[in-house]
Amino acid sequence: MAINTQELRGVIYAKYGTAAAMTERLNWDKNKIGKILKGRYIPDIDECAEMAEALDLEQAQFCHIFLPDISPNGDMF
């Protein structure tokens, strides 16, 4: 599973200014967001939900960021 890290980065920076500020908001290890944005760490569903809540993501944007390779009928993009 891959995450649309480019879009995630844009949303984080638009809302918080820096990844570090979002890390503080979530009370996560200071390197976790950086690892996610570099593709070195794939968050689990609970972490995705925490980020979505902190970013006020709507359902469509959540799916576009965290489920970019899955289509409604199961086809891979």
Side-chain angles (χ1 to χ4, degrees), residues 1-5 62-71 76-77:
M1 180 175 116
I3 292 176
N4 185 337
T5 56
F62 175 88
C63 291
H64 192 260
I65 291 172
F66 295 107
L67 306 170
D69 296 332
I70 301 173
S71 75
M76 299 302 281
F77 293 126

Side-chain angles (χ1 to χ4, degrees), residues 12-72:
I12 289 171
Y13 282 78
K15 178 143 179 116
Y16 290 98
T18 67
M22 183 168 165
T23 299
E24 285 182 30
R25 156 63 173 81
L26 293 170
N27 198 30
W28 284 1
D29 177 86
K30 66 179 182 175
N31 297 317
K32 187 182 264 189
I33 296 288
K35 288 178 182 177
I36 291 168
L37 294 175
K38 291 176 185 172
R40 293 185 2 220
Y41 177 79
I42 303 296
D44 64 27
I45 192 67
D46 293 328
E47 293 165 330
C48 291
E50 286 181 61
M51 286 189 284
E53 184 178 329
L55 294 168
D56 298 320
L57 297 181
E58 295 181 10
Q59 182 179 5
Q61 194 172 24
F62 175 88
C63 291
H64 192 260
I65 291 172
F66 295 107
L67 306 170
D69 296 332
I70 301 173
S71 75

